């Protein structure tokens, strides 16, 4: 694959990526995967507008924003994916809206998020809560819990506990 990240100009940057190759058998797609994003990050504001298309002609558009106060961050995103139908089937479309917040107190960062997904008219709501405890600059211990409620079936819960280390 090819990747390009531009230098920042007035807080703006561009990211481009692509993979161009022939597929070994018919029906495997074109082999061309392309993506681009326009990013802005300066001071407390971060923004992103992105688009990509894969070898099966599936597309994705993403818009995200984040604002950092001193110890609180607020974020939101909208994502729309279209999965190309095969011969005789219709395209499928998924739309996702998410809102989130973090609150840092000493070595602990509290997290909360809400999201709603609409896939071909079927809606799904989810909520998540969590906390990160920084053991060092590169290592955290985390705890999280989530609740998922699809409109067409029963709800479910998820829990996570672990350690994350960045190299």
């Amino acid at each position: 694959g090819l990747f390009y990240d531009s230098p920042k100009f007035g807080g703006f940057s561009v990211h481009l990526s692509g993979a161009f190759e022939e597929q070994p058998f018919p029906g495997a797609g074109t082999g061309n995967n392309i993506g681009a994003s326009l990013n802005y990050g300066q001071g407390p504001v971060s923004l992103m507008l992105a688009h990509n298309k894969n070898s099966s002609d599936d597309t994705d558009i993403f818009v995200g924003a984040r604002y950092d106060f001193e110890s609180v961050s607020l974020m939101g995103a909208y994502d729309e994916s279209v999965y190309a139908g095969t011969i005789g089937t219709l395209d499928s479309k998924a739309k996702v809206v998410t809102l989130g917040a973090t609150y840092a107190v000493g070595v602990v960062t509290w997290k909360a998020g809400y999201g709603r997904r609409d896939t071909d008219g079927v809606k799904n709501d989810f909520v998540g809560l969590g906390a990160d405890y920084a053991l060092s600059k590169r290592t955290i211990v985390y705890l999280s819990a989530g609740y998922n409620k699809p409109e067409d079936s029963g709800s479910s819960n998820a829990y996570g506990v672990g350690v994350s280390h960045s190299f």
Side-chain angles (χ1 to χ4, degrees):
L2 300 172
F3 303 95
Y4 173 74
D5 287 312
S6 75
K8 279 190 174 183
F9 297 102
F12 287 94
S13 64
V14 174
H15 172 80
L16 303 171
S17 62
F20 311 99
E21 57 189 51
E22 289 187 31
Q23 293 298 330
F25 53 89
T30 63
N32 296 332
N33 299 286
I34 57 172
S37 70
L38 175 63
N39 309 293
Y40 176 81
Q42 192 162 343
V45 177
S46 299
L47 305 168
M48 175 188 269
L49 172 63
H51 180 270
N52 68 31
K53 180 179 176 183
N54 68 17
S55 64
S56 298
D57 286 333
D58 302 333
T59 59
D60 187 69
I61 296 172
F62 175 86
V63 178
R66 176 180 172 130
Y67 191 89
D68 293 324
F69 297 92
E70 289 196 18
S71 59
V72 174
S73 295
L74 301 175
M75 52 214 102
Y78 174 79
D79 184 88
E80 184 172 297
S81 301
V82 177
Y83 306 100
T86 57
I87 297 172
T89 63
L90 299 174
D91 289 353
S92 179
K93 184 183 279 188
K95 300 175 194 173
V96 179
V97 175
T98 56
L99 300 171
T102 62
Y103 178 56
V105 183
V107 296
V108 177
T109 301
W110 299 96
K111 300 178 176 190
Y114 167 79
R116 172 169 265 211
R117 181 179 65 204
D118 180 333
T119 304
D120 299 327
V122 177
K123 294 173 181 55
N124 185 49
D125 293 311
F126 47 95
V127 176
L129 298 172
D132 293 348
Y133 182 87
L135 297 174
S136 69
K137 231 177 184 181
R138 301 182 324 164
T139 306
I140 63 165
V141 175
Y142 63 87
L143 171 67
S144 62
Y147 173 76
N148 184 33
K149 176 61 178 123
E151 73 176 4
D152 61 348
S153 63
S155 63
S156 62
N157 297 310
Y159 306 96
V161 175
V163 176
S164 175
H165 181 77
S166 300
F167 292 94

mmCIF file of all heavy atoms in Angstrom, residues 98-117:
data_model
loop_
_atom_site.group_PDB
_atom_site.id
_atom_site.type_symbol
_atom_site.label_atom_id
_atom_site.label_comp_id
_atom_site.label_asym_id
_atom_site.label_seq_id
_atom_site.Cartn_x
_atom_site.Cartn_y
_atom_site.Cartn_z
ATOM 1 N N THR A 98 -22.314 8.847 17.300
ATOM 2 C CA THR A 98 -21.765 8.596 18.634
ATOM 3 C C THR A 98 -21.444 9.917 19.326
ATOM 4 O O THR A 98 -21.060 10.895 18.690
ATOM 5 C CB THR A 98 -20.478 7.736 18.575
ATOM 6 O OG1 THR A 98 -19.522 8.375 17.722
ATOM 7 C CG2 THR A 98 -20.767 6.347 18.052
ATOM 8 N N LEU A 99 -21.618 9.912 20.646
ATOM 9 C CA LEU A 99 -21.254 11.039 21.499
ATOM 10 C C LEU A 99 -20.441 10.489 22.660
ATOM 11 O O LEU A 99 -20.745 9.399 23.164
ATOM 12 C CB LEU A 99 -22.503 11.731 22.046
ATOM 13 C CG LEU A 99 -23.454 12.314 21.008
ATOM 14 C CD1 LEU A 99 -24.748 12.772 21.676
ATOM 15 C CD2 LEU A 99 -22.798 13.459 20.264
ATOM 16 N N GLY A 100 -19.424 11.206 23.078
ATOM 17 C CA GLY A 100 -18.608 10.712 24.173
ATOM 18 C C GLY A 100 -17.994 11.839 24.977
ATOM 19 O O GLY A 100 -17.951 12.993 24.538
ATOM 20 N N ALA A 101 -17.521 11.477 26.155
ATOM 21 C CA ALA A 101 -16.864 12.441 27.033
ATOM 22 C C ALA A 101 -15.832 11.716 27.882
ATOM 23 O O ALA A 101 -16.002 10.538 28.210
ATOM 24 C CB ALA A 101 -17.886 13.128 27.935
ATOM 25 N N THR A 102 -14.771 12.426 28.204
ATOM 26 C CA THR A 102 -13.781 11.925 29.160
ATOM 27 C C THR A 102 -13.544 13.008 30.204
ATOM 28 O O THR A 102 -13.681 14.206 29.930
ATOM 29 C CB THR A 102 -12.441 11.562 28.485
ATOM 30 O OG1 THR A 102 -11.870 12.735 27.900
ATOM 31 C CG2 THR A 102 -12.626 10.477 27.438
ATOM 32 N N TYR A 103 -13.185 12.572 31.397
ATOM 33 C CA TYR A 103 -12.894 13.490 32.494
ATOM 34 C C TYR A 103 -11.672 12.959 33.224
ATOM 35 O O TYR A 103 -11.710 11.872 33.812
ATOM 36 C CB TYR A 103 -14.098 13.596 33.430
ATOM 37 C CG TYR A 103 -13.879 14.479 34.636
ATOM 38 C CD1 TYR A 103 -13.477 15.803 34.486
ATOM 39 C CD2 TYR A 103 -14.080 13.999 35.916
ATOM 40 C CE1 TYR A 103 -13.279 16.619 35.578
ATOM 41 C CE2 TYR A 103 -13.894 14.808 37.025
ATOM 42 C CZ TYR A 103 -13.487 16.118 36.849
ATOM 43 O OH TYR A 103 -13.289 16.932 37.933
ATOM 44 N N ALA A 104 -10.570 13.704 33.160
ATOM 45 C CA ALA A 104 -9.316 13.292 33.772
ATOM 46 C C ALA A 104 -9.170 13.905 35.158
ATOM 47 O O ALA A 104 -9.303 15.123 35.330
ATOM 48 C CB ALA A 104 -8.134 13.699 32.900
ATOM 49 N N VAL A 105 -8.915 13.031 36.150
ATOM 50 C CA VAL A 105 -8.690 13.451 37.531
ATOM 51 C C VAL A 105 -7.426 12.747 38.002
ATOM 52 O O VAL A 105 -7.459 11.549 38.279
ATOM 53 C CB VAL A 105 -9.880 13.068 38.443
ATOM 54 C CG1 VAL A 105 -9.656 13.578 39.855
ATOM 55 C CG2 VAL A 105 -11.188 13.568 37.892
ATOM 56 N N GLY A 106 -6.326 13.463 38.064
ATOM 57 C CA GLY A 106 -5.067 12.828 38.449
ATOM 58 C C GLY A 106 -4.677 11.754 37.453
ATOM 59 O O GLY A 106 -4.608 12.007 36.254
ATOM 60 N N VAL A 107 -4.458 10.519 37.923
ATOM 61 C CA VAL A 107 -4.051 9.423 37.048
ATOM 62 C C VAL A 107 -5.237 8.614 36.525
ATOM 63 O O VAL A 107 -5.061 7.629 35.825
ATOM 64 C CB VAL A 107 -3.051 8.482 37.763
ATOM 65 C CG1 VAL A 107 -1.755 9.217 38.091
ATOM 66 C CG2 VAL A 107 -3.661 7.874 39.006
ATOM 67 N N VAL A 108 -6.465 9.044 36.849
ATOM 68 C CA VAL A 108 -7.673 8.333 36.401
ATOM 69 C C VAL A 108 -8.394 9.163 35.340
ATOM 70 O O VAL A 108 -8.569 10.366 35.499
ATOM 71 C CB VAL A 108 -8.633 8.053 37.579
ATOM 72 C CG1 VAL A 108 -9.907 7.396 37.092
ATOM 73 C CG2 VAL A 108 -7.940 7.183 38.624
ATOM 74 N N THR A 109 -8.797 8.505 34.258
ATOM 75 C CA THR A 109 -9.636 9.131 33.236
ATOM 76 C C THR A 109 -10.949 8.373 33.173
ATOM 77 O O THR A 109 -10.974 7.178 32.871
ATOM 78 C CB THR A 109 -8.948 9.112 31.853
ATOM 79 O OG1 THR A 109 -7.702 9.807 31.945
ATOM 80 C CG2 THR A 109 -9.824 9.767 30.803
ATOM 81 N N TRP A 110 -12.035 9.073 33.481
ATOM 82 C CA TRP A 110 -13.377 8.506 33.406
ATOM 83 C C TRP A 110 -13.902 8.695 31.991
ATOM 84 O O TRP A 110 -13.659 9.723 31.362
ATOM 85 C CB TRP A 110 -14.307 9.191 34.413
ATOM 86 C CG TRP A 110 -13.848 9.011 35.823
ATOM 87 C CD1 TRP A 110 -13.101 9.878 36.560
ATOM 88 C CD2 TRP A 110 -14.075 7.883 36.650
ATOM 89 N NE1 TRP A 110 -12.856 9.360 37.810
ATOM 90 C CE2 TRP A 110 -13.447 8.120 37.895
ATOM 91 C CE3 TRP A 110 -14.747 6.673 36.487
ATOM 92 C CZ2 TRP A 110 -13.473 7.227 38.939
ATOM 93 C CZ3 TRP A 110 -14.787 5.773 37.531
ATOM 94 C CH2 TRP A 110 -14.158 6.048 38.733
ATOM 95 N N LYS A 111 -14.647 7.690 31.485
ATOM 96 C CA LYS A 111 -15.133 7.729 30.103
ATOM 97 C C LYS A 111 -16.608 7.370 30.057
ATOM 98 O O LYS A 111 -17.062 6.500 30.800
ATOM 99 C CB LYS A 111 -14.360 6.728 29.246
ATOM 100 C CG LYS A 111 -12.879 6.994 29.198
ATOM 101 C CD LYS A 111 -12.172 5.945 28.391
ATOM 102 C CE LYS A 111 -10.698 6.278 28.277
ATOM 103 N NZ LYS A 111 -10.041 5.408 27.303
ATOM 104 N N ALA A 112 -17.335 8.040 29.151
ATOM 105 C CA ALA A 112 -18.748 7.721 28.928
ATOM 106 C C ALA A 112 -19.045 7.921 27.452
ATOM 107 O O ALA A 112 -18.494 8.820 26.806
ATOM 108 C CB ALA A 112 -19.650 8.615 29.776
ATOM 109 N N GLY A 113 -19.911 7.062 26.925
ATOM 110 C CA GLY A 113 -20.263 7.190 25.524
ATOM 111 C C GLY A 113 -21.656 6.674 25.235
ATOM 112 O O GLY A 113 -22.181 5.815 25.958
ATOM 113 N N TYR A 114 -22.256 7.230 24.191
ATOM 114 C CA TYR A 114 -23.567 6.787 23.708
ATOM 115 C C TYR A 114 -23.502 6.706 22.193
ATOM 116 O O TYR A 114 -22.864 7.543 21.540
ATOM 117 C CB TYR A 114 -24.666 7.776 24.112
ATOM 118 C CG TYR A 114 -25.955 7.511 23.376
ATOM 119 C CD1 TYR A 114 -26.800 6.482 23.770
ATOM 120 C CD2 TYR A 114 -26.307 8.254 22.252
ATOM 121 C CE1 TYR A 114 -27.974 6.211 23.072
ATOM 122 C CE2 TYR A 114 -27.478 7.990 21.566
ATOM 123 C CZ TYR A 114 -28.301 6.969 21.973
ATOM 124 O OH TYR A 114 -29.446 6.698 21.271
ATOM 125 N N GLY A 115 -24.160 5.714 21.636
ATOM 126 C CA GLY A 115 -24.204 5.597 20.187
ATOM 127 C C GLY A 115 -25.517 5.021 19.714
ATOM 128 O O GLY A 115 -26.216 4.316 20.454
ATOM 129 N N ARG A 116 -25.851 5.357 18.475
ATOM 130 C CA ARG A 116 -27.041 4.791 17.829
ATOM 131 C C ARG A 116 -26.660 4.389 16.411
ATOM 132 O O ARG A 116 -26.099 5.193 15.664
ATOM 133 C CB ARG A 116 -28.181 5.782 17.783
ATOM 134 C CG ARG A 116 -29.354 5.254 16.931
ATOM 135 C CD ARG A 116 -30.553 6.101 17.098
ATOM 136 N NE ARG A 116 -31.343 5.452 18.147
ATOM 137 C CZ ARG A 116 -32.656 5.496 18.205
ATOM 138 N NH1 ARG A 116 -33.339 6.187 17.327
ATOM 139 N NH2 ARG A 116 -33.305 4.876 19.162
ATOM 140 N N ARG A 117 -26.957 3.144 16.083
ATOM 141 C CA ARG A 117 -26.703 2.619 14.736
ATOM 142 C C ARG A 117 -28.044 2.312 14.081
ATOM 143 O O ARG A 117 -28.928 1.741 14.705
ATOM 144 C CB ARG A 117 -25.850 1.355 14.797
ATOM 145 C CG ARG A 117 -25.547 0.786 13.417
ATOM 146 C CD ARG A 117 -24.701 -0.435 13.479
ATOM 147 N NE ARG A 117 -25.445 -1.498 14.154
ATOM 148 C CZ ARG A 117 -24.894 -2.525 14.764
ATOM 149 N NH1 ARG A 117 -23.590 -2.642 14.827
ATOM 150 N NH2 ARG A 117 -25.640 -3.445 15.331
#
